């Protein structure tokens, strides 16, 4: 290979790497880092053990963890690295079990990496006024 050909190949690779870096990191420059994957809010005066299992679109378990929450405490789960860069809508199934007794399973659509899932323990339903043991909803933090 000639000296000019080597320079051309190196220049081409450098440009491709630069474009790839821009593609991956430009959204973070304008929108900030990704939101946590989910946040558990315990609104009860008692502490609880909460098991969270999350399944992806292929029904593969991507998170299966148990957390201990203090009374009226919160816990934030960081978004797995593989989920920080997606830009399209994805559906997940969240299975939340509290104190090995009460289970709620919900299919949730997460539109982008700046949307988190709020998991509420013993929160008040504002429409009916009743206390719900486990409820889940999405929240966008853009």
């Amino acid at each position: 290979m000639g000296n000019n050909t080597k320079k051309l190949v190196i220049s081409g690779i450098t440009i491709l790497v630069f474009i790839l870096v821009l593609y991956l990191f430009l959204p973070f420059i304008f929108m900030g880092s990704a939101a946590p994957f989910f946040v558990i809010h315990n609104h009860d005066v008692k502490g609880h053990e909460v098991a969270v299992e999350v399944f992806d679109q292929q029904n593969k378990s991507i998170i299966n963890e148990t957390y201990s929450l203090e009374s009226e405490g919160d816990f934030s789960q960081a978004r797995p690295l593989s989920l920080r860069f997606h830009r399209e809508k994805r559906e997940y199934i969240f299975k939340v079990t509290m104190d090995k007794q009460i289970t709620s399973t919900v299919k949730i659509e997460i539109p982008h990496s700046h949307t988190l899932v709020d998991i509420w323990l013993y929160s008040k339903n504002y429409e009916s006024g009743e206390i719900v043991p486990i409820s889940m909803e999405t929240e966008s933090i853009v």
Side-chain angles (χ1 to χ4, degrees):
M1 235 195 240
N3 200 21
N4 286 337
T5 307
K6 286 181 183 178
K7 287 181 182 180
L8 256 168
V9 169
I10 291 172
S11 296
I13 291 172
T14 304
I15 290 170
L16 284 174
V17 168
F18 179 73
I19 290 170
L20 180 63
V21 168
L22 275 180
Y23 176 77
L24 290 175
F25 294 105
L26 204 55
F28 294 109
I29 293 170
F30 293 108
M31 297 179 70
S33 61
F37 195 41
F38 60 84
V39 178
I40 306 170
H41 308 276
N42 182 11
H43 285 239
D44 198 10
V45 293
K46 297 185 333 186
H48 294 284
E49 181 182 274
V50 181
V52 178
E53 189 166 13
V54 181
F55 300 90
D56 65 10
Q57 303 87 320
Q58 288 78 35
N59 207 29
K60 178 184 166 204
S61 179
I62 56 173
I63 292 179
N64 189 4
E65 297 289 333
T66 301
Y67 310 96
S68 294
L69 272 79
E70 299 290 324
S71 65
E72 299 180 354
D74 295 333
F75 175 81
S76 177
Q77 173 64 50
R79 188 173 297 268
L81 184 62
S82 62
L83 304 179
R84 290 184 188 182
F85 299 108
H86 79 85
R87 294 187 180 108
E88 71 279 351
K89 292 181 185 179
R90 293 189 179 177
E91 285 188 346
Y92 299 93
I93 295 174
F94 278 74
K95 179 181 176 186
V96 178
T97 303
M98 181 174 54
D99 299 327
K100 298 179 184 172
Q101 297 175 350
I102 302 169
T103 299
S104 178
T105 303
V106 177
K107 183 182 277 190
I108 296 179
E109 184 178 87
I110 299 179
H112 48 72
S113 63
H114 296 284
T115 300
L116 62 91
V117 175
D118 278 317
I119 301 170
W120 304 91
L121 307 180
Y122 290 106
S123 64
K124 186 175 186 177
N125 182 311
Y126 292 105
E127 293 175 10
S128 67
E130 71 178 279
I131 301 296
V132 179
I134 301 171
S135 63
M136 292 177 251
E137 63 184 37
T138 59
E139 175 186 353
S140 184
I141 60 164
V142 178

